Amino acid sequence: MPPRLQISSLRRPALRCPYELQIIRKASTAAVTPAAPIEQMTRSPAPISRSPPTQPPSHRNPEYRRSQLLRQYTSILRTSPLMVLFQHNNLKSMEWASIRRELTKALEKVDEKIAAEGRTSPALAPYIKVQTVQTSIFEVALRIVEHFRPTEAALASGKPPSAVDPITQTSAELPILSGSRDDPALTHDLSRAAYEAVKHLKGRHELADVLVGPIAILSIPAVSPEHMKAALSILTPKESGFRAPTRKANPDYHEPIVQIGLQKLNLLAARVDGQILDLNQTKWVGGIEGGMDGLRSQLVTALQSMGSSLTNTLEGAGKSLYFTMESRRSVLEEEQKPEGEKSESS
C-alpha cells in the first residue's frame, strides 16, 4: 500500500498558549501606536485622589463608625444650647422606649401650655431627644466644639478657610480640597487641623471627670427652662426636686417598666450656652418661672428697682443738703438781726 501524502495546506495550525497570544497582541499594538513624547514620559503622573468627590480629605477615616459618631456629637453640641447629662445603668430597650414615651407626653404638654398663653415660642417637643453616647468620642467632640477655631487655624496656615457646614460637615469648595489630608486649609471636624488643635487638651475639659461609665444626654435645641423642668420631673424627680406626675394624672408613668428604668438614671450635670452647671445650678435653671420670658421680666424688674433706689438715694442726699443749708441760713439771719428785733421776735 503506497504511503499517504501529507498536504501541509490541510494541516490545522497548532494552538498557541494565552501568554504567547498576549505578547503577539502587545507587539502589534506597539507597532501601530506612536511613541509618547519625551515630556510626557519624564513628567510624574498626577496623584490619585483617595477621597470621593463628595467628601474632603480627612485625618480620621470618615468610613469608620467612630468618625461618624464624632460628627454627630459635634453637630448636637453646636445645635443644642441646653443639654443635661445622666448616668444610666444597663437600661433595656423596652425601658428606654417607655421612658421616651412619657418624656414626649410631658414635653408636648409644655408646648400646649405655651401656645395657650399666647406666646410665639416654637414647639420644641419633636426636637428634644434623649440618647446614649460613647464617652471617649463625646469628650473629643466637646474639645473640638469649645476649643477649635477653624478660622484662626486657616489664617495661621496662610490659606483661606474652607466653607464647611458645621452640621453636615460638607464643603462648598470640594474641587479645591483635592490635596493631601494634611492640608492645613482643611478645617472640618475630621481634619488634621482639628486633631492637632485639641490633642494636648485631652482629659482637661470640665466634664472629663463626669464622663465616666455609661452616659446619656438630653439635648434641647433652645434654652427653655420650662421644657427642662418637665424633662427632669419625668427622668429624675427625686434628684431635681421637681414633682413627678401623679398616678391619677398619668397612670402610665407609674407602670413597673417605667419606674424600673427611671431607677437606673442619675442626674450628673448640665451644659447651658457652653457653661457647665452642677446639680444645684441645674435645679435653679429648671425652677425659673415663665421660662426665658419670665427671666427677662425679672431682669427688667430688677433693673427698674435698682434705678428707683438709686434715684431715691440721690434725691435723699440732695434733700438732706437742702434742709441743712436752709437751717444754716435761718440761723445766720437770726444772728444778723439787731438786739431790739431779737427781743421783739422772742
Side-chain angles (χ1 to χ4, degrees), residues 6 13 31 66 84 98 132 135 174 184 188 244 290 294 304 306 320 333:
Q6 296 182 359
R66 293 175 61 87
V84 186
S98 302
T132 60
T135 54
L174 290 177
H188 54 89
Q304 290 177 350
M306 289 176 60
S320 63
E333 289 178 352

Side-chain angles (χ1 to χ4, degrees), residues 78-338:
R78 289 190 178 103
T79 57
S80 302
L82 179 56
M83 183 176 295
V84 186
L85 286 80
F86 303 89
Q87 185 178 17
H88 67 93
N89 299 317
N90 300 324
L91 270 77
K92 299 179 181 179
S93 59
M94 293 298 297
E95 294 171 351
W96 273 121
S98 302
I99 291 174
R100 289 189 176 100
R101 179 196 66 201
E102 299 302 321
L103 179 63
T104 303
K105 289 167 58 177
L107 296 174
E108 288 177 350
K109 291 182 180 179
V110 176
D111 289 337
E112 294 174 358
K113 177 183 177 182
I114 293 176
E117 293 176 355
R119 288 186 278 171
T120 58
S121 301
L124 299 179
Y127 309 102
I128 299 176
K129 305 295 181 183
V130 57
Q131 61 181 11
T132 60
V133 296
Q134 291 194 12
T135 54
S136 58
I137 306 176
F138 189 75
E139 196 266 342
V140 176
L142 277 170
R143 285 187 276 136
I144 290 176
V145 170
E146 297 188 2
H147 300 288
F148 177 55
R149 300 295 179 265
T151 305
E152 297 177 3
L155 292 177
S157 66
K159 297 184 179 181
S162 57
V164 178
D165 192 304
I167 299 178
T168 61
Q169 298 299 311
T170 56
S171 174
E173 301 176 356
L174 290 177
I176 301 176
L177 304 178
S178 58
S180 172
R181 66 179 184 177
D182 298 332
D183 187 357
L186 301 174
T187 55
H188 54 89
D189 291 341
L190 302 182
S191 62
R192 172 62 68 89
Y195 171 76
E196 294 292 342
V198 301
K199 180 176 63 174
H200 65 285
L201 298 173
K202 183 177 181 180
R204 299 183 182 179
H205 195 273
E206 294 178 318
L207 288 175
D209 297 335
V210 178
L211 296 176
V212 179
I215 299 296
I217 60 172
L218 173 72
S219 57
I220 304 177
V223 181
S224 176
E226 294 171 307
H227 289 85
M228 180 180 179
K229 178 180 179 180
L232 293 179
S233 65
I234 295 295
L235 299 176
T236 55
K238 294 182 179 179
E239 297 179 359
S240 61
F242 302 125
R243 294 183 57 184
T246 61
R247 187 181 297 273
K248 182 178 180 180
N250 188 2
D252 295 336
Y253 176 78
H254 295 273
E255 291 181 354
I257 189 171
V258 177
Q259 295 301 316
I260 292 174
L262 294 177
Q263 292 176 1
K264 302 176 182 179
L265 283 177
N266 296 319
L267 178 61
L268 296 179
R271 179 178 180 270
V272 182
D273 285 335
Q275 301 294 325
I276 307 302
L277 306 182
D278 58 11
L279 189 58
N280 293 328
Q281 294 171 338
T282 303
K283 294 179 182 179
W284 176 81
V285 173
I288 296 176
E289 296 294 337
M292 294 302 295
D293 295 335
L295 184 61
R296 294 188 186 97
S297 63
Q298 293 178 13
L299 179 61
V300 171
T301 304
L303 293 176
Q304 290 177 350
S305 62
M306 289 176 60
S308 61
S309 62
L310 178 61
T311 303
N312 294 331
T313 303
L314 295 176
E315 288 180 353
K319 290 179 179 179
S320 63
L321 179 61
Y322 172 76
F323 291 134
T324 303
M325 296 299 293
E326 285 294 323
S327 62
R328 182 59 179 170
R329 185 176 64 85
S330 62
V331 170
L332 292 175
E333 289 178 352
E334 289 292 334
E335 292 179 352
Q336 292 177 358
K337 289 181 179 181

Side-chain angles (χ1 to χ4, degrees), residues 14-28:
L15 297 175
R16 300 179 183 271
C17 63
Y19 180 72
E20 186 177 356
L21 293 175
Q22 186 177 3
I23 294 176
I24 294 173
R25 291 193 189 98
K26 288 184 178 180
S28 61

Side-chain angles (χ1 to χ4, degrees), residues 13-84:
L15 297 175
R16 300 179 183 271
C17 63
Y19 180 72
E20 186 177 356
L21 293 175
Q22 186 177 3
I23 294 176
I24 294 173
R25 291 193 189 98
K26 288 184 178 180
S28 61
T29 306
V32 176
T33 306
I38 299 177
E39 294 82 1
Q40 185 178 358
M41 298 175 63
T42 56
R43 186 171 54 191
S44 59
I48 301 175
S49 179
R50 298 180 180 274
S51 301
T54 57
Q55 172 69 44
S58 304
H59 171 68
R60 304 175 187 269
N61 193 338
E63 298 178 357
Y64 292 162
R65 184 173 180 270
R66 293 175 61 87
S67 301
Q68 297 298 326
L69 287 177
L70 178 61
R71 295 172 61 182
Q72 177 186 353
Y73 294 160
T74 54
S75 176
I76 292 174
L77 288 169
R78 289 190 178 103
T79 57
S80 302
L82 179 56
M83 183 176 295
V84 186

